[in-house]
């Protein structure tokens, strides 16, 4: 089985990256989108089902057609194509749930444009959780060869993140992260470092009491469940090279606390992984890049990493489940 790559916003760099990823031939995939976006760039064969993809053996890019409402212009997103973008995600998810594809890799979307098209979700992750009937179980991980980070609160304002941060949420995210590290990443005894929220991890309450009141009890609860969690640790020293040798992933308290170090260390190979779902889902760690769309400037490194990771996670999960 191959992973399915969704179309993403057709006016962004998604189609260009699909072309470059197919040319690289490093991680085979099938594409769900409008074949007109790839016309003349690579050999394309429209297929009726994922089972037909393997027979192509790399001679052409297998495509499950999802037609656009209007022709796409690079750099000029159109809400009228929102329905096709959403349908591409939905179809890939349904195929993954049915065991027809190895997982899905999602190309970047514009949340603003999809909102104009009536999309009610903050982003991919929440939509996938709804499609998988697992709302509230979705957890975002950003993974690269040098660092894995898991934000406890994600796509909300910093002020709202502080309101959402509580012991129960930290424990839930830590539990899901630890299971995914065992099941999908093959780490038998994962080590979870837990970041503090405040400068110096609160300095024993002098710079904030969330560490004593919320984070430390959550760490104790995770340890009581047999999870090797430790902290809270000062965020300003948690991502040094020496510190990274002491853990397998970091639980971060808010979005930028997690993504800034990951993207600083390894933007090109960073991959967004959704934990807590019954399917494998990865995504390149960048956006639609409308400003360079259609200029042959997009770097496919993150997409290639996402495709390879989807393949590897799927294989590891199958081995893990077969052994249980």
């Amino acid at each position: 089985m191959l992973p399915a790559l969704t179309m993403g916003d057709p006016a962004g760099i998604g189609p260009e990256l699909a072309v470059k990823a197919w040319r690289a031939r490093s991680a085979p995939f099938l594409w769900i989108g409008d074949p007109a976006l790839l016309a003349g760039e690579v050999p394309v064969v429209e297929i009726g089902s994922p089972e037909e993809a393997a027979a192509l053996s790399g001679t052409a890019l297998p495509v499950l057609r999802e037609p656009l409402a209007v022709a796409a212009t690079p750099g000029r997103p159109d809400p009228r194509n929102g329905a096709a973008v959403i349908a591409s995600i939905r179809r890939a998810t349904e195929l993954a749930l049915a065991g027809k594809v190895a997982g899905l890799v999602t190309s970047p979307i514009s949340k603003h444009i999809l909102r104009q098209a009536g999309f009610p979700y903050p982003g991919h992750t929440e939509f996938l959780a709804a499609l998988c009937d697992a709302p509230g179980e979705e957890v975002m991980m950003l993974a690269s060869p040098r660092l894995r980070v898991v934000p406890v609160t994600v796509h909300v304002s910093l002020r709202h993140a502080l309101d959402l941060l509580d012991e129960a949420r930290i424990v839930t995210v830590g539990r899901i992260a630890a299971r995914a590290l065992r099941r999908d990443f093959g780490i038998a005894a994962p080590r979870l470092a837990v970041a503090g929220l405040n400068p110096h991890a609160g300095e024993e309450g002098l710079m904030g009491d969330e560490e004593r009141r919320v984070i430390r009890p959550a760490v104790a609860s995770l340890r009581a469940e047999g999870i090797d969690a430790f902290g809270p640790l000062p965020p300003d020293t948690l991502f040094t090279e020496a510190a990274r040798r002491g853990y397998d992933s970091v639980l971060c308290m808010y979005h930028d606390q997690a993504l800034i170090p990951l993207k600083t260390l390894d933007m090109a190979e960073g991959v967004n992984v959704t934990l807590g779902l019954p399917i494998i889902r990865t995504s390149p760690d960048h956006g639609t890049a409308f400003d360079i769309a259609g200029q042959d400037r997009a770097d496919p490194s993150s997409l290639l990493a996402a495709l390879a990771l989807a393949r590897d996670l799927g294989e590891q999960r199958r081995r893990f489940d077969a052994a249980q």
Side-chain angles (χ1 to χ4, degrees):
M1 289 189 296
L2 301 180
L5 175 62
T6 64
M7 175 167 53
D9 194 300
I13 59 173
E16 176 185 330
L17 291 179
V19 167
K20 291 179 176 179
W22 184 82
R23 288 174 178 164
R25 305 289 210 284
S26 59
F29 62 95
L30 63 88
W31 193 70
I32 303 178
D34 193 324
L37 292 169
L38 312 179
E41 299 293 334
V42 294
V44 168
V45 172
E46 290 190 39
I47 57 176
S49 67
E51 291 82 1
E52 299 173 35
L56 297 177
S57 300
T59 58
L61 175 57
V63 174
L64 289 168
R65 173 183 285 271
E66 202 61 65
L68 298 175
V70 295
T73 301
R76 297 176 60 183
D78 193 322
R80 291 177 292 178
N81 284 327
V85 173
I86 296 166
S88 175
I89 302 167
R90 184 186 299 275
R91 191 172 183 187
T93 305
E94 290 172 349
L95 290 171
L97 286 169
K100 302 289 187 180
V101 295
L104 69 151
V105 180
T106 54
S107 292
I109 58 174
S110 169
K111 301 174 181 66
H112 171 65
I113 295 298
L114 287 189
R115 180 59 59 91
Q116 294 180 48
F119 189 65
Y121 299 94
H124 267 121
T125 304
E126 296 81 3
F127 183 40
L128 294 173
L131 292 175
C132 292
D133 195 26
E137 294 298 311
E138 70 277 14
V139 168
M140 185 172 81
M141 170 185 281
L142 273 294
S144 82
R146 300 172 70 182
L147 179 65
R148 302 183 192 94
V149 291
V150 179
V152 174
T153 62
V154 189
H155 292 130
V156 296
S157 71
L158 183 55
R159 187 177 299 278
H160 190 198
L162 298 179
D163 294 333
L164 292 176
L165 194 63
D166 61 21
E167 179 183 347
R169 178 63 183 165
I170 296 170
V171 171
T172 296
V173 171
R175 187 184 296 132
I176 291 171
R179 173 166 171 74
L181 289 167
R182 289 192 299 270
R183 186 185 184 196
D184 298 338
F185 288 84
I187 300 172
R191 302 163 299 165
L192 289 181
V194 181
L197 174 69
N198 298 298
H200 301 182
E203 197 73 64
E204 295 301 327
L206 293 176
M207 300 180 186
D209 69 348
E210 285 85 0
E211 283 77 12
R212 293 195 302 185
R213 181 170 50 84
V214 177
I215 303 174
R216 195 172 293 166
V219 171
S221 295
L222 288 169
R223 293 189 66 83
E225 294 183 14
I227 295 171
D228 184 8
F230 49 94
L233 302 171
D236 60 349
T237 57
L238 188 49
F239 302 102
T240 65
E241 183 177 358
R244 295 198 306 273
R245 291 194 289 268
Y247 55 74
D248 298 299
S249 184
V250 183
L251 294 190
C252 298
M253 297 302 107
Y254 56 94
H255 181 277
D256 283 9
Q257 188 184 63
L259 272 65
I260 288 173
L262 187 288
K263 292 187 176 184
T264 300
L265 285 167
D266 215 352
M267 180 74 182
E269 293 190 79
V271 177
N272 186 341
V273 185
T274 303
L275 313 179
L277 300 181
I279 60 174
I280 297 295
R281 181 262 175 151
T282 67
S283 178
D285 186 24
H286 57 68
T288 53
F290 293 129
D291 58 324
I292 64 168
Q295 300 175 35
D296 195 29
R297 293 169 53 193
D299 181 355
S301 299
S302 187
L303 176 58
L304 291 170
L307 288 164
L309 187 59
R311 176 198 62 207
D312 294 346
L313 294 181
E315 291 174 356
Q316 171 58 36
R317 180 177 288 193
R318 285 189 289 274
R319 288 195 296 268
F320 182 92
D321 291 347
Q324 299 308 297

